[in-house]
């Protein structure tokens, strides 16, 4: 069934709203996945809080062009063949889903990603994206780094106090 002009306009508006709100956008090729694998991929996405939808490239490109404050130009070249749009709150969540899924299947292939104003194009960027740390992970790392010297200092002070007490009790 062909889409009417109104259907296309509605789809562009809907995609534009999704793109405008999303901080994490991945484009993947899932062409050739059978029904069982597609269902498994959708389940994996759902468990990881990743939204997955197959989109028409022309409509996605028009939606991308209409999003203010975001530049998706570097991704336009990726809009060929089958395209699945993946959005998430955590930067590496879609990459991890793709990486895990690829252990048993050749697809999905990463076409590109847009993560908080940074663009990554090509499947070779997948390991880099899997390794990205979320904001929460970075904050946890910083807190641990800040706590480390304090813990060392407290430990040294406690040891010093303990040795003073031992010296005082021997007198």
């Amino acid at each position: 069934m062909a889409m009417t002009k109104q259907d296309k306009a509605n789809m562009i508006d809907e995609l534009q709203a999704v793109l405008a709100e999303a901080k994490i956008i991945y484009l993947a090729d899932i062409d050739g996945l059978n029904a069982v694998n597609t269902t498994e991929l959708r389940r994996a996405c759902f468990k990881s809080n990743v939204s997955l939808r197959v989109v028409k490239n022309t409509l996605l490109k028009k939606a991308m062009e209409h999003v203010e404050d975001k530049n998706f130009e570097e991704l336009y070249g990726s809009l060929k063949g089958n395209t699945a749009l993946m959005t998430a709150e955590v930067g590496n969540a879609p990459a991890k889903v793709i990486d895990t899924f690829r252990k048993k299947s050749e697809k999905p292939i990463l076409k590109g990603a847009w993560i908080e104003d940074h663009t990554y194009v090509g499947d070779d960027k997948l390991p880099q994206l899997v390794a990205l740390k979320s904001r929460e992970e970075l904050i946890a790392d910083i807190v641990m780094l800040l706590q480390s010297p304090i813990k060392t200092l407290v430990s040294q002070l406690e040891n010093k106090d303990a040795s003073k007490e031992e010296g005082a009790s021997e007198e």
Side-chain angles (χ1 to χ4, degrees):
M1 184 177 120
M3 292 179 85
T4 65
K5 273 190 172 183
Q6 188 57 49
D7 290 340
K8 288 178 182 177
N10 292 344
M11 182 58 71
I12 291 168
D13 289 345
E14 189 181 319
L15 288 171
Q16 186 179 340
V18 168
L19 295 170
E21 189 144 317
K23 290 185 174 99
I24 315 297
I25 298 165
Y26 280 65
L27 303 178
D29 176 1
I30 62 170
D31 190 35
L33 285 182
N34 63 28
V36 172
N37 285 345
T38 302
T39 302
E40 283 179 26
L41 178 62
R42 288 185 184 280
R43 271 197 200 113
C45 285
F46 182 77
K47 283 181 188 167
S48 299
N49 291 321
V50 174
S51 164
L52 173 78
R53 66 195 301 170
V54 176
V55 294
K56 287 189 172 291
N57 292 323
T58 52
L59 301 182
L60 180 58
K61 184 175 182 213
K62 283 183 180 162
M64 286 176 154
E65 290 169 346
H66 289 99
V67 175
E68 292 178 22
D69 306 329
K70 292 182 183 177
N71 183 349
F72 297 114
E73 259 180 63
E74 291 178 63
L75 292 175
Y76 294 167
S78 306
L79 298 176
K80 294 179 179 77
N82 179 301
T83 301
L85 173 66
M86 302 170 88
T87 55
E89 293 293 317
V90 178
N92 64 2
K96 285 182 174 180
V97 169
I98 291 170
D99 190 54
T100 302
F101 206 79
R102 290 254 291 270
K103 289 177 175 41
K104 61 183 176 201
S105 173
E106 289 179 15
K107 302 276 175 126
I109 302 288
L110 176 68
K111 292 175 154 196
W114 185 92
I115 300 170
E116 297 180 11
D117 291 329
H118 297 284
T119 306
Y120 303 83
V121 177
D123 194 58
D124 60 324
K125 301 292 189 295
L126 188 62
Q128 184 182 350
L129 292 169
V130 168
L132 272 184
K133 291 194 174 194
S134 69
R135 185 170 183 265
E136 290 72 21
E137 289 170 318
L138 290 172
I139 290 170
D141 287 354
I142 291 169
V143 168
M144 279 187 30
L145 287 170
L146 292 173
Q147 283 180 341
S148 183
I150 294 169
K151 286 180 179 173
T152 305
L153 179 64
V154 168
S155 171
Q156 288 173 347
L157 290 172
E158 286 173 348
N159 288 340
K160 202 172 187 180
D161 286 346
S163 62
K164 275 185 182 175
E165 286 173 16
E166 285 174 18
S169 62
E170 288 174 9
E171 291 174 12

